[in-house]
Amino acid sequence: QVQLVESGGGVVQPGGSLRLSCAASGFTFSTYGMHWVRQAPGKGLEWVSFIRYDESDKYYADSVKGRFTISRDNSKNTLYLQMNSLRGDDTAVYYCAKDPGAGMSEGIDYWGQGTLVTVSS
Amino acid sequence: DVVLTQSPLSLPVTLGQPASISCRSSQSLVYSDGNTYLSWFQQRPGQSPRRLIYKVSNRDSGVPARFSGSGSGTDFTLKISRVEAEDVGVYHCMQATNWPYSFGQGTKLEIK
């Protein structure tokens, strides 16, 4: 079965950096696009970023563009999110999520359990 | 950017009664391939979201038949025919037709 396990969350000061990882198993990782989605405490879901299976396309929410970078290592079945210049409003649970599309993106079908990022001095 | 507006935001329901959640889009969600990439997710308290419905009306494997999705263009609905206690949680719609992808604000379903 599909498993997505995030790691790398923690407490970071404003202006700091953090790299999240997502270890994938139970499917052919190199065939599917992947997403990051976040949820601030007590708030709704916010789509953050997408990367195509072969890294040929990457998309970002305006709120993180220029500060966050999505990447993947298909040899390690791992998705990453490099977060720089972190701000208080980046505080959230960050979810790794799988796209059901094997070529073009079709949305999200599976989610990880999430990792909490807290930006605070 | 596409804005999804859900209503109501809070939905108290009596056990065994039906429930309905609306998701309205600021623009058509029909993609150039003819598909409409509108999904519904359930998020139980303390859990990650789980997909219930994809492409408007397709129910995921293992999702009870009491859940159904309908709609077209800009107006979409998630219906629960008879609410059970395990249905408590927040329901989110999401569009994957236009970048950047977006979610509705979420609708909190509770038992009266």
Side-chain angles (χ1 to χ4, degrees), chain A residues 35 37 39 43-47 49-50 59-62 95 99-100 104-114, chain B residues 1 31 33 35 37 39 41 43 47-51 54-55 60 90 92 94 96 99-106:
Chain A
H35 301 262
V37 177
Q39 187 170 36
K43 302 297 184 182
L45 300 169
E46 179 187 14
W47 176 84
S49 185
F50 167 82
Y59 296 92
Y60 298 94
D62 287 345
Y95 294 102
D99 196 297
M104 64 166 278
S105 172
E106 296 183 7
I108 290 173
D109 55 358
Y110 290 97
W111 301 68
Q113 88 289 347
Chain B
D1 295 1
Y31 189 60
D33 65 1
N35 288 311
Y37 294 98
S39 300
F41 298 89
Q43 188 173 25
Q47 295 187 12
S48 302
R50 163 202 181 196
R51 194 177 70 173
Y54 63 97
K55 286 191 269 188
D60 271 279
V90 180
H92 310 269
M94 173 193 170
W99 298 104
Y101 290 173
S102 50
F103 291 89
Q105 316 97 300

Side-chain angles (χ1 to χ4, degrees), chain A:
Chain A
Q1 70 281 22
V2 173
Q3 279 204 310
L4 301 168
V5 180
E6 301 93 336
S7 61
V11 180
V12 60
Q13 292 189 338
S17 298
L18 212 55
R19 187 175 86 153
L20 306 183
S21 299
C22 170
S25 61
F27 66 102
T28 306
F29 180 73
S30 59
T31 304
Y32 293 92
M34 297 292 294
H35 301 262
W36 288 100
V37 177
R38 68 184 181 183
Q39 187 170 36
K43 302 297 184 182
L45 300 169
E46 179 187 14
W47 176 84
V48 172
S49 185
F50 167 82
I51 185 168
R52 196 168 152 90
Y53 71 97
D54 59 358
E55 296 194 87
S56 60
D57 280 320
K58 300 179 183 180
Y59 296 92
Y60 298 94
D62 287 345
S63 57
V64 306
K65 203 173 292 182
R67 298 187 300 123
F68 290 12
T69 302
I70 191 171
S71 62
R72 63 192 296 159
D73 186 335
N74 286 342
S75 68
K76 295 182 178 179
N77 290 348
T78 302
L79 175 72
Y80 302 102
L81 186 67
Q82 177 66 42
M83 305 186 295
N84 298 330
S85 304
L86 284 161
R87 314 185 301 222
D89 60 359
D90 295 318
T91 294
V93 172
Y94 284 74
Y95 294 102
C96 162
K98 174 186 168 293
D99 196 297
M104 64 166 278
S105 172
E106 296 183 7
I108 290 173
D109 55 358
Y110 290 97
W111 301 68
Q113 88 289 347
T115 187
L116 176 62
V117 172
T118 302
V119 183
S120 173
S121 53

